[in-house]
Amino acid sequence: MLPSFYKIMTFKEKVSDLLNEGLKEKPSIFLIDMTITDAFKIIVTLDGDNGVQLQDCIDVSRSIEHNLDREEQDFSLEVASVGVGSPLKLTRQYKKNIGRMLIVKLAESTIEAELVDANDEFITLAWEVREPKKLGKGKETVQKRQEIPYTDIKEAIVTVIF
């Protein structure tokens, strides 16, 4: 008899392979997270360059579920899109959200600004702030722009404006 951790590892690898095969059919959809609990609940979170439709979740779910044998291992499966207000995790998510407002938490501060660019090393934010005038009294609106390496970002969330 194999140890139980071996069974979990094999099951996880099989699920991961099936998930990757399912995602090959949908190049604009990408994996954010996949976990398998000790009770064999498979939780898959997806995002997409143009969002995720219900049909995308159904298709990915089928690609996993229809290729696993419940007689071999009973499981439950949940495939969902990343939620509004969920932190951004991948460079690809930043790139798809260029032009939107983000709340970015850094070690020492939090910036709410427009994401104007994103590459493989850093993001660029732009925002306006009221500062005291350099000459005279009162305040003036100043344009700020900052490049922030991904390694400095503790959390970034897209703000939803209604």
Side-chain angles (χ1 to χ4, degrees):
M1 177 115 185
L2 295 171
S4 62
F5 74 85
Y6 183 79
K7 191 174 181 182
I8 291 171
M9 194 64 160
T10 304
F11 183 73
K12 185 171 185 172
E13 288 171 353
K14 190 171 186 178
V15 170
S16 184
D17 288 348
L18 292 170
L19 175 58
N20 289 332
E21 282 300 311
L23 289 174
K24 280 182 187 174
E25 303 293 317
K26 298 183 169 287
S28 69
I29 304 298
F30 52 95
L31 178 67
I32 297 299
D33 192 32
M34 183 196 75
T35 56
I36 300 176
T37 68
D38 291 340
F40 294 96
K41 179 177 183 179
I42 305 164
I43 304 165
V44 177
T45 307
L46 305 173
D47 201 350
D49 296 325
N50 304 306
V52 178
Q53 302 299 314
L54 177 59
Q55 191 61 49
D56 297 325
C57 294
I58 292 168
D59 293 344
V60 171
S61 177
R62 285 181 181 154
S63 71
I64 297 170
E65 189 168 16
H66 290 187
N67 293 295
L68 291 176
D69 183 1
R70 287 187 190 274
E71 296 295 321
E72 189 179 304
Q73 177 59 61
D74 193 27
F75 65 92
S76 63
L77 174 63
E78 178 182 306
V79 178
S81 62
V82 68
V84 172
S86 296
L88 302 179
K89 293 184 176 183
L90 305 176
T91 304
R92 192 167 173 180
Q93 288 180 290
Y94 286 93
K95 289 178 180 179
K96 82 168 210 155
N97 282 295
I98 289 173
R100 298 187 73 186
M101 295 297 290
L102 296 185
I103 297 174
V104 179
K105 293 181 184 174
L106 307 170
E108 302 294 321
S109 63
T110 299
I111 302 170
E112 184 169 352
E114 180 183 354
L115 177 62
V116 293
D117 194 22
N119 61 33
D120 292 338
E121 287 91 41
F122 58 85
I123 63 171
T124 304
L125 299 176
W127 68 99
E128 292 180 347
V129 66
R130 298 283 292 163
E131 291 183 347
K133 289 183 177 178
K134 292 179 183 29
L135 296 172
K137 294 181 181 179
K139 292 187 175 192
E140 62 185 349
T141 300
V142 178
Q143 300 288 329
K144 296 280 188 172
R145 192 174 179 95
Q146 183 175 349
E147 291 180 350
I148 302 170
Y150 292 109
T151 54
D152 291 353
I153 299 172
K154 303 294 180 209
E155 182 180 74
I157 297 174
V158 176
T159 60
V160 180
I161 301 170
F162 295 99

